[in-house]
Amino acid sequence: MNSRKLLLLLVIASLASAFFALDLGRFFSLDYFKSQQAAIEAYRAAHPGLTAGIFFAVYVAVTGLSLPGAAILTLVGGAIFGLLWGAVIVSFASTLGATLAFLVARFALRDWVQSQFGVRLKAINAGIEKEGGFYLFTLRLIPIFPFFVINLVMGLTPIRAWTFYWVSQIGMLAGTLVYVNAGTQLARIDSLRGILSPGLLISFALLGVFPLIAQKIVSAVKARRVYAKWPKPKRFDRNLIVIGAGSAGLVTAYIAAAVKAKVTLIEKHRMGGDCLNTGCVPSKALIRSAKLLSHMRRSPEFGIRKAAAEFDFAEVMDRVQRVIREVAPHDSVERYTGLGVDVIEGAAKITSPWTVEATTAEGARTLTTRAIVIAAGARPFVPPIPGLEEVGYLTSDTVWNLRELPKRLVVLGGGPIGSELTQTFARFGSQVTQVEMAPRILIREDPEVSERVTARFRQEGIQVLVNHRAKQFVAENGEKILIAEHDGSDTRIPFDTVLVAVGRVANTTGYGLEELGIPATRARTVETDDCLQTLYPNIYAAGDVAGPYQFTHTAAHQAWYASVNALFGPFKTFKADYSVIPWSTFVDPEVARVGLNEQEAKERGIAHEVSVYGIDDLDRAIADGEAHGFVKVLTAPGKDRILGVTIVGEHAGDLLAEYVLAMRHGIGLNKILGTIHIYPTLAEANKYAAGVWKKAHAPQKLLAWVERFHAWRRG
Ligand SMILES: Cc1cc2nc3c(=O)[nH]c(=O)nc-3n(C[C@H](O)[C@H](O)[C@H](O)COP(=O)(O)OP(=O)(O)OC[C@H]3O[C@@H](n4cnc5c(N)ncnc54)[C@H](O)[C@@H]3O)c2cc1C
């Protein structure tokens, strides 16, 4: 906290202390006012403007400094100035005072509170940013929340000061009127309790609930408006139609069938979507074969002088297809039909909020449904680089068709998909150049993660070119060349095959979204609210098509919310919870993360401590010949609360599970440290990282006393 903030807090604390030390509170009692009422009224008759000014200033000071007495002052306002002027003066004075208190809290404490509790406050901040005025209005109408608390707490949130001002003024008006009116009858009131009768409290509570009811009404009106031009069927053939049978669509349909809804799943290409056919499954199968080769090359490290590998790339790719075929029954039409899902193999098009046209080999038919979940996935993004179309390219969709190993491969993109495929092809013997325009690969991870992966890539013979922007592709004398810009000059990279892996873009066109006017976000995903609801309250989206993450496990996670909200929405909806999202990049060394890393914590100004355990010191890693990498844990300063974990090393993704569980259920490092981990396993690294944290927080003073105790015992 800087000195100006500290000074302000000191001034306020001194004024508040003076208030209590001098017992100024005695002037803010009904008895005192009643004893002085005649004199005050006489003064007001002689100096009406000055009386109003003094009253206004005192009111602002009391509320601005969050001192007790505002309720009595409001009554006094009514007694001195009558209902109209009393209400006007109190309304402005209380709002101004409240805004001052709000600004003090914002100036002095907000940064600190947000840095300490930013992660926990994320959802509240987002809610306030979106509907802050609405929350505040509700709080203002319910007088059981002390106003000074509301002023201070709101100052710590992102609500705009102007919004705070005007919502407070309007929200407090009803209460102000009630109190000022009561003040006009002051002679008959003996205590504040008389004003807050149960009847009045119920009226206030009703007033408080009013905005919530109003919000429901507004949502219903909005919904009516979007549905207005669409004829609604009298009855529906099914409860739910799911578009796309990838990770999101399959889980959505599974849950719907499990809760006995009538659900239809429509898939136009291959059951299992991206993950099974062109994503996780084939990539991990290919990585496995490549890893075997890498181990064989490293055989002398393991005491085996020579291990020769002979392979045909086509056979490796055939194995990849075999793996897909082996996993495929999990996602098959037969399995889902058996689970009670009506599966249609065809293309879906939303023709109204309640109808979907399914086109199959037999023709098109229209199905009616109460709700729809869009799970249409994403596809590789291909940037419009001059010459790319002409030279031809592979993407993560088409690379699996290769049967011949490219001799010289250029991989465009340093993200997870580009990096996994770069290393894999290099291990098979392709001469790979990875081109990334950012300053480093795996840019979302901490710099030392990128450094370690880059170092390994280079060690394995990969040319990693960062800060290189692919500018143009040309073919010269039968040779393909990528021209990339680097530091203002051009680099020429000859190659045989280029693989484009620069990101993925959601599938949002060609199946009715444009006709229904369902908007897309700036990230070009389908726009949804926190409950995954689109513009139409009965149409939801999940998975890559909705973002913000593009993983199989997040698609499945969202699917639960989409299906439950779509089926039970009128009664209860759930906001998708993204508080603990893990992921892994399956390069070697493997990289896994959950929650914050250091670069994000710094960017977002979140205070944190870092504990790092080097896996190079771990017995099992040494025995396995994989003594490299680290476990890095971010914790809240001085607290046993995990903010995030990054693991680099062998089986990092598997190791991370313990921390994912810990974060999800609020388990701290002390508990991890107090848990037996099997010796010798890689999982011990998690415990040792907790040990690093514990050591840094050892109670040094207490230990010094304990040392003295032992010395005394020794005599
Ligand atoms: C190379 C690669 C490796 C990956 N590795 C991992 C990994 O290791 N771990 C991980 O978690 N994630 C990984 N992913 C990401 C993961 O594959 C996706 O996040 C996941 O598949 C998204 O699932 P989804 O259901 O949203 O979309 P998809 O799986 O893309 O499914 C969408 C389906 O909708 C169908 N569809 C679209 N429009 C229509 C229509 N109009 N009518 C009918 N059907 C339609 C499509 O044909 C498709 O089958 C990887 C991705 C790639 C490309």
Side-chain angles (χ1 to χ4, degrees), residues 243-249 266-270 272-275 278-280 283-284 346-349 375-378 396 400 417 420-421 504 507 510-511 542-545 550-553 555 584 586:
I243 299 176
S247 315
I266 309 176
E267 170 55 56
K268 70 174 179 184
H269 193 33
R270 280 183 286 186
D274 222 28
C275 185
T278 53
C280 335
S283 62
K284 268 76 251 179
K349 178 165 184 182
S396 61
W400 314 109
I417 295 175
E420 286 181 7
L421 290 171
R504 297 175 57 74
N507 294 321
Y511 60 97
D544 283 6
V545 80
Q550 289 187 329
F551 304 114
T552 289
H553 45 277
S584 198
F586 297 91

